Amino acid sequence: MSINNNIESQMRKGVLEFCILSILGDNQAYASDIIKQLKDAKLIVVEGTLYPLLTRMKNSGLLSYHWEESKQGPPRKYYSITAKGQKFHKQLSETWENMVSSVNTITNKNSKNV
Amino acid sequence: MYKTISINISGIIFNVNEDAYEILKNYLDKLHSHFNKTDEGKEVYADIESRVAEIFSEIITTNNQVITITDVNNLIDTLGKPEDFFDEEIHEEEPTYNQKYKKTKKKKRLYRDTKENMIAGVASGLSYYFGIERVIFRIIFILLFAFGGSGLWIYVILWIAIPEARTRSQKLEMKGEPIDISNIEKNIKEEFENIKENIKKNNYDTTIKNFFEKIGLLITTIVTGIFKAFGKVFGFIFILFSVAILSIIVGSFIFDNTLIQINDYGITTFSFTEVLKLFTNNSNINYLIFSILIIITIPILSVLYTGIKLLLNIKTNNKTIPLIGFIIWIFGVVIFTASTIDIGKNFTRGKSIETSTTLNNNKDIIYLVKNFVTDSINGKNIIFSDDDEDFLITKNSVYISPNFRIINTNSDSITVKIKRKARGNNKNSAAQNIDNIVYNWDFKNDTLHFDSHCFINNEYRGQEVKITIYKPEYVTIMGDDFDEFYW
């Protein structure tokens, strides 16, 4: 595995969690909705990778879910954000904004040199 | 027209084309075996299955009732190939070396330790694997080498079978959690869980398989499961068995006194070579011994190889070594055949010589006495008192016991006929071999003396001695040693 791949996937992983929390916000959503939004934003390519992530976030107490019957197909899991998740989301937003502005400052400054 | 298979995913029934079913099953099995290891994984797998059911439900309309191969391929494109899932997992584990170490600690692998090696690092690698001091393995190898030379075989096979620890992760794997009884037990339990799982899966299979097919599947699942679970036990037995046999065989060829003959007159020991030399005096006896060694040892070495692979859970798909072994074995068979044909030549021509002697006798009763032959073994004179043995081998020579019978005739005289037979590669050598048979008898006063055994030198060429006494009916032959008139 190349280092490039590794860094990229590490970055995406962190961002993904942040995005999931953002998508959920105050609403609840079902896995396929979340996936659809992430796919549209080109954050993920295949759906499969998201299921382990959702389960892990649920297990670490950031998300909770409840079952809802579906007219078509099996019952669906509707995810919503927990209090802990909300707190974490807020924290992540701040970190993200700080990071974006820091990174922007550096890359803008250096791109003039290139 | 297509055959469809009806399957149940997340409680919903779908009809799937047969070809599509194979792909789908393969795909889901891969995911299942990957995720099923942890509780979290099981949940993820359930989510994925329910997503599969959902995607399929969207496809099914009143016009389209069947899932096709295109649908399955689309599904896999949407969800991602198993590699995509697994890659993500690996990224998860990779961040720090500590985490990596934790992960590899669970699975321990056997490698050769080429850093702290004496020869190829086999003993050192084993010591990490079993958590035992490497000195102990070295001593075991040396002892095994000293007794029968099997240590060398095992060492070389391990050298071939065990990969060298090259990368950092392999070195970590090498040093992982030691294999002890509780771990082996855990392994066996896991295997049984797998069997249960597989059986369950087979029961869920709603495919229209007939009853017997299902039973067959069940049996193979159980048998392979048990084999896997007890693989280590079998491996251990294989190794013990093959080492024992190898030591005996190699020992009996290399060392003297490994074959033992026990009879009433004592215990004699020979080397295998000495016994073979009875049948041929050709110089190609070495080829024969060499080929027999190859023919016997290669299958045993393969058992040893399998045993080691089973015990230490080495996964190699090395086809070259078995192939080389097989070629050498065939080579051995060819040499063996050529050598035995050569030996067979010693037996091609048979010849017999009969001597007839009429006794000078006027008594109505004559006596038979058996003359017990003596041979010196290890300086002691040993008398062959046992006449049950047809074939006696001593350090110096071979003795065979003659065939003996008495026949009544109308003639008035007693005639003793002694027929000596032998074989050779031509008439002359057969005659020579007959001449070499030493058999003594005589008639003195009213008593016949016969040797209990005849001496046939150091070469067995199918020699036989038949004694027939023709006598008038009115003559009685008496002898303590001749309750029955046979030797």
Side-chain angles (χ1 to χ4, degrees), chain A residues 13 30 32 47-48 58 77, chain B residues 43 47 51 54 79 92:
Chain A
K13 194 120 270 171
Y30 124 85
S32 298
E47 291 187 11
K58 185 216 69 180
K77 257 183 186 173
Chain B
E43 201 178 334
D47 285 348
R51 176 67 180 147
E54 197 174 60
L79 286 178
E92 281 295 300

Side-chain angles (χ1 to χ4, degrees), chain B residues 58-109:
Chain B
E58 283 161 13
I59 295 166
I60 302 296
T61 59
T62 38
N63 292 332
N64 179 22
Q65 294 282 345
V66 178
I67 306 292
T68 64
I69 204 158
T70 330
D71 298 330
V72 172
N73 283 333
N74 286 340
L75 172 91
I76 294 172
D77 283 345
T78 318
L79 286 178
K81 292 196 175 67
E83 298 86 73
D84 298 330
F85 290 76
F86 307 160
D87 270 0
E88 293 289 323
E89 303 273 310
I90 293 162
H91 291 306
E92 281 295 300
E93 306 288 350
E94 209 131 41
T96 66
Y97 278 108
N98 268 343
Q99 274 185 22
K100 189 168 181 176
Y101 187 62
K102 252 186 222 159
K103 197 206 174 191
T104 49
K105 234 186 157 177
K106 283 180 209 152
K107 276 246 164 153
K108 190 163 185 174
R109 277 270 147 87

